[in-house]
Amino acid sequence: MKLKLIYPRWEKLKGQTTFNLPPHGPVVFAASLPEYVDVSFTDENVEAIDFDEPCDLVAISMMLSTQVKRGWAIADTFRQRGRQVLFGGIATMLHAEETVGHADSIFLGEAEGRMEQVLDDWRNGRLRKVYNYMAQPQSPIESVGPARRDLYKRHLYNHKGVQMVDLFHASRGCRFSCYPCAVTYLGGRIFRPRPMDRVVEELAAIDNNRLFIVDNSLAQNKEWEKQLFREMIPFRKKWISHTIEDDPEILDLAAQAGAWYVYQAVYDTSEYIRERVKRYHDHGIGVEGTILLGLDNQKEDDIRRLIDFLLEIDLDLAEFTVMTPFPHTKGYDDLLRQGRIFDFDWNHYNAGQVVFHPGHMSAERLQELYDLAWTSFYAAESQESRMFRLFCNVALREMSEGTYRPRDRRLAGKSFGRDLARKPPV
C-alpha cells in the first residue's frame, strides 16, 4: 500500500526571518503506520505537491489553524481526481467540524496502536467518516516509537547554509492549563513522560547534533527533568526547549546536557523575570522571550512598559504574539460568548493578526502595538543577526567539544569570524 503524506504550507508572518523546520507531527504519525505501508512525504513549505504521484491513500497532517484552508484545498483537488483523503493532526482536532466536509475520513486523537484498524477499514471499503479517540484513554505512552526522520529531504531544511534543528519529544500532556492554550484539550492535563529507555533509543538514532525538544514544558516534574538531562549529557547534543525548572541543580544539569537556549514567557516587568533571565545566562543558556499581547489585563501603557523592559533584560531573542482565540480554548469560549470575535478567517489565526476586540483598546491599536514591539526590540540589531549569533554560540561550543560538523556553510566562512569579532557570544 502506498500512502502519500502531506504537510500543507502556510503564509509566514511579514517582517520576521523566514525559515522552515522539519515538521514533527507527520513523521511521528508515519511511525505509527504498519510496516507494509510505503510512505512518501511532502512538506509543502519547502517543495511543491505532485498531485499526479501514484498512491492509494492521501493523508494530510495539519498542525496550525493557518494551514487548514490550504489543507482543505489540497484535499478537494485529490478527491476530484478520485483519491481518498484522511486528515489528522492538531489542527484537524481543533477544526474537525469543518474539516470533515473536505475529507473521506478524519482521525482525532493519538495514532499509536490505532492505524491498523483504520487501514483495515479502508482496504475493506468501510472507512469511517470520523475516528474519534479523543474521549477514550490516550495511547500508551510506551507505544510512542522513534519518528520516521528518514522521510525528510534534509537538504531542504537549512537557512542560508545553516542546518536547522531536528524536532524531538520526551513527553506528552501538560499539567498546566494556560488561558490561551489548547494543549489540555488536545493532549490532556496529565503529564505523560515517555519511558527513559525509549527516549535514549531515539536520541541515539538522531544524526543531527542540534535539537528542538518540543514538549509543552519540561518544568513538569523535577526528578524526571533531572533524569532526562543526565541521560542527555553523553550525547553532547545542543538543544532548544520551552521553559525548564528555575532550580540551580536543574539549570546546571541542563547546561551540562547541552541546553542552547530556551523559550521563556515574559508576562510582566517583575524582578523575578529579570533574575530568571540572568540565571539562564549565568549557566550559559540563551533566552528567547515569548511575549503575549492583548490579554484583558493589559492596557496600552502596560504593553509599552513591557516593551521597554524587554530591552533592559538582555534577551537574546524575542517573539511577540497577539492573543489569538483558537477553538477549544477558554479564550475562544469567553470571547465568543461575549461577542468579541470579529474575524473567523482561519488564515488570520497566525498569532500575528488581531481577530477580536481587546478589553482596553481597539483592535487596530493592538495591531499597531504588536508591530511596534517587533520594530522596537529589533531596531538596534535585526532578528536575523541575533539568530546568527546564537548559531555562532553553539558552533563555538561544538568546536570546543569536537562535535562540530562543517555542514554550516555560512558559519564555516568569513562571516562567522567577523560576527564573533563584532560581538562576543553570551
Side-chain angles (χ1 to χ4, degrees), residues 5 25 59 148 153 168 180 189 236 274 352 383 389 401:
L5 177 59
R148 286 284 310 275
K153 298 178 178 66
F168 164 80
R189 201 169 172 185
R236 297 197 297 176
R274 187 190 301 273
Q383 184 185 38
R389 281 201 297 109
E401 296 171 0

Side-chain angles (χ1 to χ4, degrees), residues 72-85 104:
W72 299 340
I74 293 168
D76 293 346
T77 299
F78 275 113
R79 295 178 80 201
Q80 288 165 7
R81 297 182 177 208
R83 305 293 186 194
Q84 288 188 298
V85 177
D104 294 283

Side-chain angles (χ1 to χ4, degrees), residues 331-388:
Y332 180 85
D333 293 342
D334 288 350
L335 294 173
L336 186 67
R337 185 180 63 254
Q338 296 163 13
R340 292 167 58 188
I341 302 176
F342 61 80
D343 186 345
F344 291 91
D345 183 339
W346 303 125
N347 283 347
H348 299 162
Y349 279 59
N350 55 15
Q353 188 161 336
V354 182
V355 298
F356 74 104
H357 297 290
H360 297 288
M361 65 195 79
S362 68
E364 293 77 15
R365 188 57 182 147
L366 177 56
Q367 190 71 57
E368 291 170 356
L369 290 169
Y370 166 80
D371 295 336
L372 175 66
W374 279 102
T375 56
S376 297
F377 186 83
Y378 291 105
E381 185 179 9
S382 70
Q383 184 185 38
E384 186 170 37
S385 176
R386 285 172 173 265
M387 288 174 60
F388 183 61

Side-chain angles (χ1 to χ4, degrees), residues 27-45:
V27 294
V28 171
F29 163 75
S32 74
L33 296 170
E35 290 185 0
Y36 63 77
V37 181
D38 179 16
V39 182
S40 69
F41 175 55
T42 300
D43 176 0
E44 199 190 13
N45 293 283

Side-chain angles (χ1 to χ4, degrees), residues 11 55 101 110 138 146 150 191 212 247 283 322 334 338 376:
E11 191 71 25
C55 65
E110 297 180 351
Q138 282 123 346
D150 60 293
F191 171 59
F212 179 7
D247 175 279
H283 286 82
V322 289
D334 288 350
Q338 296 163 13
S376 297

